[in-house]
Amino acid sequence: MRLLFLAVLRRHTGNAVTAERVRDHLEAAGHVCILKDASDLESSSEIAKLIEAESLEAAVALHLYRGGRLLQGHGIPFGIIFGGTDLNEDVNHGEKKKVMGKVLEEARFAVAFTESMKEMAQAQWPHARGKIYVQSQGIVTGPNSAFNWNTFLHQSGINQSADNLHIFLLVCGLRQVKDPLYLVDAFSEWHREEPNVYMVIVGPEVDPVFTREVGARVKRAAGVRLIREMPQGDLHAALKNCFAVVNSSVSEGMSAAILEEFVQLAKRLVSDPALEREIVANGREYVRACHSWQAERCTYQNLIRTLEGSIQD
């Protein structure tokens, strides 16, 4: 089957990674999957021309509003994958919410990444209750076996023995919504107390103006380093070698109280090897049980078969 896959494909975002992974799942089942950036296709007529030119039989969209609305009324069956923006932002705009409801009426299936996303969607659009499925994002890693952790530390400006270091990695595209500066002052203060503790921010330049702000702030912060974009294999290897991975995001509503709690818990983790081993083991089991790449592939391949059935009908 020839499929159109619409997604907002801005580089260095989770959407782009998800779209590539789902496309791989579909192509592994023998489908031809043409991935297009929804930002480049703003009119219905452009979609109609693309469908005709490529002899497309069905479609999938990542983002109910940004992608799904472009698939309405073209006579081909389609499914959608909810994006966080759909349920956290766009649903609060009356006209967008109305459009998304219409898209769900026409969509053959919808995928939410979590049960909470599914519940939010069902509360907003009860008519779609029977077509929303939950599939967590699959995780697969491929660390570069030739990666050298000591070289990475040296390039980061950390000239200490790796055996005595505790490196916390924050991986994100350098844009304001990810708030990579959130932990900088706390880590800098901690580093002054314990010089073997560092935070390394690893992220590509997404917002040039904000990137300069991050760079200037990090230069003034003891114990904090900034590394620009890395090949994925090297990044996975760095994640494997670091002490812990941290994350921050404006959309998650963090507060000063949470920041204080984070530092307290991070210090406990550093001083308690048994706790570290327990968290690592539990995390590995959680990923195996809840974020299986194979389970994700099976789900999407099965859902696409429902579109094939629609074509035959």
Side-chain angles (χ1 to χ4, degrees):
M1 182 165 62
R2 294 182 64 82
L3 294 163
L4 171 62
F5 193 167
L6 283 181
V8 178
L9 298 175
R10 186 167 60 177
R11 291 183 68 220
H12 312 306
T13 63
N15 282 345
V17 174
T18 298
E20 289 288 353
R21 194 176 62 254
V22 174
R23 179 174 69 169
D24 286 345
H25 294 332
L26 302 181
E27 291 184 337
H31 303 293
V32 175
C33 192
I34 298 173
L35 182 60
K36 292 289 185 179
D37 192 333
S39 301
D40 296 334
L41 297 164
E42 288 295 333
S43 72
S44 180
S45 61
E46 287 180 282
I47 296 292
K49 290 177 182 177
L50 180 62
I51 290 172
E52 182 178 3
E54 297 287 349
S55 302
L56 299 171
E57 302 166 85
V60 177
L62 174 55
H63 272 293
L64 179 57
Y65 182 77
R66 296 180 183 180
R69 63 189 174 89
L70 299 173
L71 297 177
Q72 291 180 280
H74 293 292
I76 62 171
F78 67 86
I80 67 97
I81 303 168
F82 286 107
T85 306
D86 293 326
L87 298 170
N88 295 329
E89 297 180 22
D90 291 343
V91 75
N92 298 316
H93 299 271
E95 186 57 34
K96 288 183 177 180
K97 178 181 175 181
K98 183 179 179 181
V99 169
M100 290 191 288
K102 292 292 185 182
V103 174
L104 280 173
E105 288 180 6
E106 192 171 336
R108 302 302 172 92
F109 65 80
V111 177
F113 295 140
T114 65
E115 287 289 346
S116 62
M117 287 181 71
K118 177 182 178 179
E119 291 169 4
M120 290 170 64
Q122 289 179 160
Q124 297 293 340
W125 303 287
H127 67 272
R129 183 174 297 271
K131 62 175 68 174
I132 302 176
Y133 301 82
V134 175
Q135 175 56 58
S136 301
Q137 301 217 59
I139 293 176
V140 60
T141 58
N144 178 8
S145 60
F147 178 82
N148 188 292
W149 179 239
N150 287 313
T151 300
F152 171 81
L153 293 175
H154 180 72
Q155 291 174 343
S156 302
I158 300 173
N159 299 309
Q160 297 185 38
S161 170
D163 296 336
N164 299 317
L165 289 174
H166 291 96
I167 306 295
F168 290 75
L169 284 188
L170 192 161
V171 181
C172 66
L174 298 181
R175 50 192 178 123
Q176 288 186 331
V177 71
K178 290 299 183 182
D179 201 11
L181 295 174
Y182 180 77
L183 295 168
V184 165
D185 290 341
F187 260 99
S188 190
E189 182 178 343
W190 186 10
H191 175 78
R192 291 188 183 96
E193 298 173 7
E194 299 182 46
N196 64 335
V197 174
Y198 285 85
M199 180 174 77
V200 178
I201 301 171
V202 181
E205 177 181 307
V206 177
D207 179 336
V209 174
F210 184 64
T211 296
R212 288 194 292 272
E213 179 184 339
V214 172
R217 178 85 169 273
V218 166
K219 282 182 180 179
R220 301 192 298 268
V224 181
R225 300 291 188 267
L226 175 63
I227 298 293
R228 298 294 172 84
E229 186 173 358
M230 296 171 62
Q232 189 179 72
D234 288 351
L235 180 59
H236 289 175
L239 293 171
K240 184 176 180 180
N241 279 275
C242 75
F243 178 74
V245 178
V246 297
N247 183 38
S248 64
S249 174
V250 171
S251 66
E252 292 169 9
M254 294 187 176
S255 67
I258 294 176
L259 179 59
E260 293 169 3
E261 184 181 333
F262 168 81
V263 173
Q264 180 182 357
L265 293 173
K267 288 182 176 180
R268 181 186 169 196
L269 186 62
V270 166
S271 64
D272 191 341
L275 176 63
E276 177 193 356
R277 289 192 295 271
E278 180 183 355
I279 290 176
V280 168
N282 288 345
R284 185 176 288 115
E285 175 57 24
Y286 176 79
V287 169
R288 186 200 65 77
C290 301
H291 292 278
S292 165
W293 177 83
Q294 291 87 353
E296 182 187 50
R297 169 163 289 192
C298 183
T299 293
Y300 282 106
Q301 291 181 351
N302 286 337
L303 288 173
I304 289 300
R305 291 192 188 101
T306 69
L307 301 185
E308 289 182 294
S310 299
I311 295 170
Q312 294 168 2
D313 292 343

